[in-house]
Amino acid sequence: MELLDAIRRRRTTNGGFLPDPVSAEHQRILMEVAGRAPSQLNSQPWRFVIIESRETIETIAEISGASMTEAMSNGTFFERYKPYFRFSKAEMARTRSGMLFDKLPAPVRPFTSQAFTPRGQKLMNSLHIPQTLGSENRRLVASSPLLLGVMLDRSEYRPGELSSFYSLFSMGAAMENLWLTTVELGMGIQFVSFPMEVPGQWERIVELLHVPDELELMAVYRLGYVPEERRRPAIDWTSSERKLPSQYVFRERADRPQEGWDDQARPPEH
C-alpha cells in the first residue's frame, strides 16, 4: 500500500473489532513506526504501554462507559461539542467539517433538531439513552484485543514552556505514523476519550496502569483487526469527482485564501 493511499483511507473505527489478538509482529511494527516519528532535537519524549490483560481492559472499559453515561446525562458533553455535530449529509457538505450523527437511537430521531437542547437532554435522560450509550461504549472497549497508553516524559513535557509544545507536536507525529500503519495492517483504532471528560476518572486509569511520576498519561487508544467488509476501499483520486480540499489553505499570508482549487470535504467520520 502506498502512503497516499493509507492517508486517504485512514479513519476512526467506531465499531467493534475482530476477537483475534494483535500479533506480536504487528505490535512491534506499530512501536517501530511510532518511534521513527520526528521530534525536537531527537528528544523522543513519547512512551507507550501495551495493554492485553483482559482484567485491565475490562476495568478501563467500565471507567469509559461510566464516564460516557455521566458526561451525557449531565449535558457537559453535548454542550462542549455541539458545534461539531452534523445530522445530515447535506449539513456535512455545507459545513465541510464535524461528525455525522445519522444513527441516533430510534426514540430520539423525531427530535433530532432538538437533540442537544435542554428539552432534548431531558428526553434522552427519561429514555435512559445516556445509560444505553455508556453500556455500548463499555462493550466496545471491553471487546478490544489491545489498548495502548501514550505517555510523555515530564522532563520534556512541561506545560507553559516551549518544550511542552514540542513534546505534543512530536507525540502527534508518532501517533499519526502509528494510525496510518493500522490501515496497512488491516487494523482499526479509536481514542478512548470519555474518561477525560469526567473529573477523577482519568486518574483512575493512571493508577490502574501504575504510571510513574516522571511520565504523564496523555491518551489511551483501543486497537484491533477490522473485518474485511468494513475496511475503507481504495479511492481513485484521479477521478474528476475527487477535488482538493482548500477551505483551510492560504497563500503567502494567513488572510489570503488559496485560489484555483476546488473544494470538497473529506469523507465523513462515523
Side-chain angles (χ1 to χ4, degrees), residues 60-70 130 133-135 137-138 194:
I60 292 175
E62 182 276 321
I63 294 171
S64 181
S67 299
M68 185 176 194
T69 295
E70 182 173 346
L133 295 176
S135 177
N137 177 269
R138 184 205 61 76
F194 272 98

Side-chain angles (χ1 to χ4, degrees), residues 23 93-94 182:
S23 72
R94 178 174 56 81
T182 64

